[in-house]
Amino acid sequence: MAKIEITSIVEGGKKVGKLIKDNQKEILAGMGVAKTGIKLLKENTGNKKENQIIKKKLSYREQMYKKYENEILPKLDSQNRLELFQYIDDIEQYVQQLKEEEKRENKLKKPLYEKKIKKWDSLLMQIRNKMSTKDYLEFIKIYNDPHYQSNYFKGFEGHVEKFKTYIGTKENDAFLKYLEKTTGRDIEKIKKDFMIIE
């Protein structure tokens, strides 16, 4: 092991000590600025890296899935039929895209695509069920009050007019089949809810 002369270290230490003592204010101010600068640099580079990682990880379709899951699903009760219809159409397009990508990719990625398709199908089913339920409830309101104006069916007034023609004809079979097809409800439930006696 090499020997270091202690006298040279002591002399160097004395010079550094004198330099620090003579310039104490400037050194302290510089250390404070340097500390703050280093802290800001770490924060900014850390945030940029996190944002870039998040953006890289989430494709547009994944961002839309998160939007549907976190923002749109909780607000389905306040949506009208046109908005629900648009959501269904969008999701069907995403599912179609995934199925086409699955065909192009190798077989190893098939489970990954199946998982994604299942997630989107789950959203689709929830929105379809909500639309079916809201359709059914609005039809009950229209049936019980012929002058009821439905804001929910705005843009789908043809459904309301067709429904009203079935009410006017009093043909229970056609009326029941229309409601069963439109809302997916069982005929016995429809008879009970609309108080139809045969």
Side-chain angles (χ1 to χ4, degrees):
M1 192 165 165
K3 292 185 178 180
I4 303 173
E5 288 188 31
I6 294 184
T7 54
S8 62
I9 294 175
V10 171
E11 287 176 14
K14 287 181 182 177
K15 289 179 183 175
V16 170
K18 185 178 182 207
L19 179 70
I20 291 173
K21 187 177 181 183
D22 292 344
N23 300 307
Q24 190 174 16
K25 290 180 182 176
E26 290 83 6
I27 291 174
L28 288 175
M31 286 176 57
V33 170
K35 185 177 179 181
T36 305
I38 290 170
K39 185 178 177 182
L40 286 173
L41 186 64
K42 283 182 181 178
E43 287 176 4
N44 288 337
T45 55
N47 289 341
K48 284 181 186 177
K49 286 179 182 177
E50 287 174 18
N51 290 339
Q52 288 173 349
I53 289 170
I54 290 171
K55 285 181 183 177
K56 284 181 183 177
K57 284 184 179 179
L58 293 179
S59 69
Y60 174 75
R61 194 168 41 224
E62 289 169 333
Q63 290 174 6
M64 289 305 294
Y65 179 81
K66 292 290 183 193
K67 180 179 178 183
Y68 273 100
E69 189 176 48
N70 298 328
E71 296 173 26
I72 294 174
L73 281 183
K75 297 178 183 178
L76 286 182
D77 286 332
S78 64
Q79 307 296 317
N80 64 29
R81 192 172 205 278
L82 183 62
E83 291 166 325
L84 294 176
F85 188 78
Q86 182 182 355
Y87 299 150
I88 289 170
D89 189 50
D90 286 347
I91 292 172
E92 286 174 343
Q93 292 298 316
Y94 293 133
V95 170
Q96 186 62 36
Q97 288 172 7
L98 284 167
K99 287 179 179 177
E100 289 174 11
E101 288 175 17
E102 181 183 29
K103 288 178 188 175
R104 287 193 308 257
E105 290 291 335
N106 61 26
K107 292 181 181 181
L108 295 175
K109 290 188 177 182
K110 187 172 180 152
L112 176 68
Y113 281 103
E114 287 175 352
K115 183 179 176 184
K116 289 179 181 181
I117 290 170
K118 272 186 179 179
K119 284 177 22 178
W120 281 102
D121 279 341
S122 172
L123 280 179
L124 186 60
M125 184 177 68
Q126 291 177 60
I127 295 172
R128 281 185 177 152
N129 287 342
K130 179 55 76 177
M131 187 164 98
S132 173
T133 301
K134 290 184 82 167
D135 285 357
Y136 190 70
L137 293 174
E138 288 294 312
F139 283 140
I140 289 174
K141 291 176 186 176
I142 294 166
Y143 183 79
N144 290 319
D145 181 7
H147 302 293
Y148 174 73
Q149 294 295 318
S150 175
N151 291 330
Y152 170 73
F153 278 113
K154 198 166 234 119
F156 286 88
E157 288 82 4
H159 283 297
V160 176
E161 295 305 318
K162 190 172 185 178
F163 179 74
K164 285 183 178 180
T165 59
Y166 283 118
I167 295 172
T169 61
K170 300 292 182 189
E171 292 181 24
N172 287 343
D173 287 338
F175 175 72
L176 292 171
K177 286 180 182 175
Y178 174 75
L179 277 176
E180 180 186 35
K181 182 181 176 189
T182 306
T183 64
R185 298 293 191 270
D186 181 53
I187 289 182
E188 292 304 316
K189 177 166 177 44
I190 296 170
K191 285 180 183 179
K192 179 183 169 191
D193 292 341
F194 284 84
M195 294 184 276
I196 297 174
I197 302 169
E198 291 187 31

